[in-house]
Amino acid sequence: SKDDLILPKDFPQLLNDTFLRAARGEETEHVPVWCMRQAGRYLPEFRESRAGKDFFETCRSPAACCELTLQPLRRFPFDAAIIFSDILVVPQAMGMDVQMVPGKGPTFPEPLKEPEDLQRLHVKVDVAKELGYVFKAITLTRHKIEGKVPLIGFTGAPWTLMSYMIEGGGSNTHSKAKRWLYRHPEASHMLLKMLTDVIVEYLLGQVAAGAQALQVFESHAGILGPAEFKEFSLPYLRDIARRVKDKLKEAGKDVPMIAFAKDAHYGLEDLSQSHYEVVGLDWTIDPRSARERTGGKVSLQGNMDPCALYAPKERISDIVKKMLEGFGTRGYIANLGHGLYPDMDPENVGAFVKAVHQHSKQMIKQ
Ligand code: CP3
């Protein structure tokens, strides 16, 4: 197809690098802003594009991923875009069947039950072959985005992916996955290591394809306690950042990395010393205390409660102002504390973006 001829080079020049500068802690004219799940079902045009199509089929179409990634940029002056895809494409690449069941969410028909089941996973994953469709989507989007804003690539972190592979889908207790940690610690580490190896190659492939920043989603950090986080999550998050950065350095590339470990309060100090330039925060952390605990070592991203978008627009503006005052305008990327929900009003998302830009411009001028 025509898309196959598009190569990861000669990209349009980047016109707005505010997000990249904030990630590195440099001065900016305004605080950059983007939203997790900004390409999502709250947009009527997204629902229309996705209508009647299988979710993972959509993920495998570079043209569809590109279109869905660009949709929110046509409405709002976001300072970054995140490639449309899903964290569960990695377990798929390792040989697991994953389906998106409407109304139920991601489902693994045959989840991992016992350590023997690790033998079902591919020993050596050909990342370029299995996940090349994501790389093509990134390259195509880098061309079509016309340098408006940087494009973020992403992955799920090992523990979050492991928990899905064992639970087989969403869960309240995550007790099946946690059972492995307590009952099969060695097999757990083996699986986490396998995932880490694939993730490192996957992230490097995304950068080679054109990703200008990388976010690692440890969405299920919060179901671990401090000790389990230190044993089963943090070492792998660190390993990923170190290995990706070492390789990128060899290639003379500098790509900011964001660690988003949802609900992992106890891990904040450790996360700020884990080779990531940016630590993403959920809404349960007070901005000032997050700054104190990370000691200016990293930039911070977040963390408005997504549900604050249900408030009237004036109230959103007040909440944003307080958030900016808490974080300060330097080394800060405004975002929500988690993704947008399907029933949110696009107009209020617009009000959020506008409030971040307006208040932060005022604060920086003073
Ligand atoms: O806009 C963006 O943020 C980029 C795209 C993106 C998606 N998934 C698209 C998507 C990103 C970054 C993800 C990551 C992801 N996927 C995470 C980590 C972030 C988080 O939310 O904590 C997780 C846990 C998943 C797994 C997953 N995929 C879930 C739980 C769901 C929701 C299922 C449901 O029915 O509500 C998905 C599906 C999904 N991924 C949607 C989108 C836009 C909605 C389904 C659709 O479009 O049909």
Side-chain angles (χ1 to χ4, degrees):
S1 82
K2 191 168 124 267
D3 291 348
D4 288 337
L5 298 172
I6 293 178
L7 299 172
K9 58 176 191 181
D10 304 326
F11 291 130
Q13 192 199 334
L14 182 59
L15 304 170
N16 173 5
D17 66 349
T18 314
F19 164 84
L20 295 177
R21 280 188 280 141
R24 299 193 179 104
E26 296 165 15
E27 236 172 81
T28 58
E29 292 74 46
H30 64 262
V31 165
V33 55
W34 67 282
C35 288
M36 290 187 271
R37 285 282 163 89
Q38 67 190 31
R41 285 170 291 183
Y42 75 105
L43 291 177
E45 59 271 34
F46 178 96
R47 296 196 296 269
E48 194 175 311
S49 305
R50 287 269 308 105
K53 298 191 187 83
D54 175 71
F55 178 79
F56 288 110
E57 276 310 311
T58 306
C59 289
R60 284 169 187 272
S61 159
C65 293
C66 174
E67 166 59 20
L68 294 172
T69 303
L70 297 179
Q71 280 178 351
L73 300 183
R74 296 189 190 117
R75 278 189 186 247
F76 315 113
F78 282 127
D79 294 286
I82 182 161
I83 189 68
F84 176 85
S85 187
D86 200 81
I87 61 168
L88 299 176
V89 299
V90 166
Q92 283 179 337
M94 294 170 80
M96 291 193 79
D97 185 13
V98 189
Q99 292 152 16
M100 196 62 70
V101 180
K104 185 166 173 233
T107 305
F108 292 66
E110 291 174 278
L112 304 176
K113 290 207 170 74
E114 296 296 333
E116 297 81 69
D117 292 333
L118 293 182
Q119 290 165 21
R120 285 175 17 214
L121 302 177
H122 299 326
V123 188
K124 187 83 191 74
V125 179
D126 186 341
V127 172
K129 178 166 164 271
E130 300 295 335
L131 292 163
Y133 62 90
V134 180
F135 303 157
K136 279 184 189 159
I138 288 173
T139 301
L140 179 63
T141 306
R142 263 303 293 280
H143 284 288
K144 294 254 168 108
I145 207 168
E146 294 171 327
K148 277 195 191 83
V149 292
L151 181 62
I152 306 170
F154 70 89
T155 183
W159 158 244
T160 295
L161 294 179
M162 170 180 169
S163 74
Y164 269 110
M165 291 159 85
I166 295 170
E167 291 294 336
S171 161
N172 287 328
T173 60
H174 298 268
S175 57
K176 292 192 183 88
K178 290 181 76 178
R179 178 176 173 272
W180 270 55
L181 302 184
Y182 290 101
R183 203 179 174 103
H184 312 299
E186 275 178 36
S188 296
H189 280 296
M190 199 184 287
L191 176 53
L192 291 165
K193 174 83 170 59
M194 288 172 81
L195 283 159
T196 299
D197 290 345
V198 176
I199 287 166
V200 167
E201 252 196 83
Y202 183 43
L203 289 177
L204 288 168
Q206 292 187 48
V207 173
Q212 291 154 294
L214 297 168
Q215 176 152 324
V216 181
F217 286 92
E218 188 69 293
S219 302
H220 294 174
I223 59 173
L224 300 172
E228 287 65 43
F229 177 75
K230 257 191 160 62
E231 178 172 358
F232 297 105
S233 171
L234 187 66
Y236 298 97
L237 287 172
R238 282 194 171 140
D239 197 35
I240 289 166
R242 218 208 50 244
R243 287 165 63 185
V244 168
K245 292 209 167 279
D246 283 352
K247 278 276 183 221
L248 290 179
K249 216 173 180 180
E250 282 172 29
K253 281 190 180 171
D254 174 21
V255 173
M257 293 182 73
I258 308 163
F260 176 60
K262 191 172 175 290
D263 297 322
H265 297 254
Y266 44 74
L268 206 47
E269 284 85 354
D270 282 332
L271 277 170
S272 70
Q273 301 172 56
S274 296
H275 320 294
Y276 290 84
E277 282 80 0
V278 184
V279 172
L281 304 168
D282 63 83
W283 67 91
T284 61
I285 304 175
D286 173 67
R288 280 195 176 79
S289 92
R291 272 291 184 219
E292 278 164 26
R293 292 176 53 196
T294 54
K297 290 189 188 67
V298 285
S299 291
L300 296 175
Q301 174 177 278
N303 72 343
M304 190 174 84
D305 182 352
C307 292
L309 291 175
Y310 295 127
K313 293 196 190 82
E314 318 76 63
R315 177 102 175 84
I316 294 172
S317 173
D318 292 343
I319 294 170
V320 166
K321 187 157 181 278
K322 285 210 179 68
M323 178 170 78
L324 288 163
E325 286 163 358
F327 281 112
T329 54
R330 186 82 179 255
Y332 174 50
I333 297 160
N335 203 314
L336 305 173
H338 201 194
L340 286 157
Y341 303 143
D343 68 348
M344 282 169 169
D345 186 344
E347 277 207 29
N348 288 19
V349 175
F352 170 67
V353 174
K354 190 172 163 195
V356 171
H357 284 164
Q358 281 187 342
H359 289 305
S360 65
K361 270 182 199 155
Q362 283 280 328
M363 289 167 70
I364 290 168
K365 258 195 284 179
Q366 276 163 14

